Amino acid sequence: MLLAGAVLAGCGVTLNESTPAPTVFVPSVAPPGSVSATPGTEAGTPAPKWSALGLTGHLIYTLGTQGIQDLNLSNGKVSTLFVPPQDGWLTAANVSPDGNQIALAYAPPPAAGQPQLGYTSLYLLPGDCGTRAGGCTVSDLTLLQDRKDPHESYFSPVWAPDGKTLFFAHFTPSDASSNSPFKYTLQSMAMPGGTPQVLLQDALWPNVSADGAH
């Protein structure tokens, strides 16, 4: 309950709008394949408290305006994969099973004088951001699914285990002309080159089972 409350606290509602602005933070475990250092052996990096557990691999997570970070589970070192420009915003990132791409929910900086409302589109980054000095930049972003409405939002991207499908949530704002309420849908997209398909109404925060069956 406490965790659910903390996550839901990240959703913002402004008083001058009739629909909420979704802001969701979802961690992602990167696939195996990267060589990890022995705990405590990297210069200037003390062994983490969990070093006795024998963990390996990387935890990829997002911190809003601070971007995407990589926690090495072997030695506790934190590195930056991507930092949004000033007034940019991102809410989630997920690494493809082959490690070649990172799907992220990102909102570029708004026009001068306009506020950042946090309505995100889907983008891709190359999977080797961690090997680059300073990580990736906005020039490395590839737009995957853009918004048609300024208050529309795509978020919580999650790859299928085979890397052939991307699942995500889609927020659609209220339509004043038809009095339709805002709604969330769970959608999927074949990768690469697919178009979004609605899987379920009134749903968000997808996650895929390890065998890809659920």
Side-chain angles (χ1 to χ4, degrees):
M1 293 294 290
L2 289 175
L3 178 59
V7 172
L8 291 175
C11 299
V13 180
T14 55
L15 297 179
N16 61 348
E17 295 174 351
S18 59
T19 57
T23 302
V24 183
F25 299 89
V26 182
S28 166
V29 177
S34 300
V35 178
S36 299
T38 302
T41 60
E42 187 164 349
T45 304
K49 294 180 179 179
W50 63 84
S51 59
L53 298 177
L55 301 179
T56 60
H58 298 257
L59 180 70
I60 309 300
Y61 58 95
T62 60
L63 286 174
T65 57
Q66 297 181 51
I68 305 172
Q69 297 192 345
D70 178 340
L71 172 62
N72 187 314
L73 295 175
S74 291
N75 57 30
K77 180 182 178 181
V78 175
S79 57
T80 298
L81 303 185
F82 171 75
V83 177
Q86 183 175 357
D87 296 329
W89 184 254
L90 66 88
T91 60
N94 197 268
V95 183
S96 63
D98 61 9
N100 291 333
Q101 298 181 98
I102 303 173
L104 61 154
Y106 169 71
Q114 299 297 315
Q116 173 59 270
L117 299 177
Y119 294 101
T120 50
S121 300
L122 295 180
Y123 289 81
L124 292 175
L125 279 172
D128 64 353
C129 292
T131 66
R132 306 184 186 189
C136 288
T137 67
V138 290
S139 63
D140 299 305
L141 288 169
T142 299
L143 180 62
L144 181 61
Q145 188 64 32
D146 201 5
R147 299 172 296 129
K148 297 179 181 178
D149 186 288
H151 294 145
E152 181 181 13
S153 187
Y154 292 92
F155 58 102
S156 297
V158 177
W159 292 90
D162 61 6
K164 296 180 179 180
T165 305
L166 186 70
F167 296 89
F168 51 89
H170 182 207
F171 171 77
T172 305
S174 302
D175 185 354
S177 62
S178 63
N179 293 320
S180 64
F182 69 86
K183 64 180 180 179
Y184 291 93
T185 56
L186 180 63
Q187 301 187 5
S188 67
M189 177 189 298
M191 297 294 289
T195 56
Q197 304 293 323
V198 175
L199 300 178
L200 186 65
Q201 301 284 344
D202 305 318
L204 67 165
W205 294 332
N207 205 348
V208 188
S209 61
D211 61 3
H214 299 85

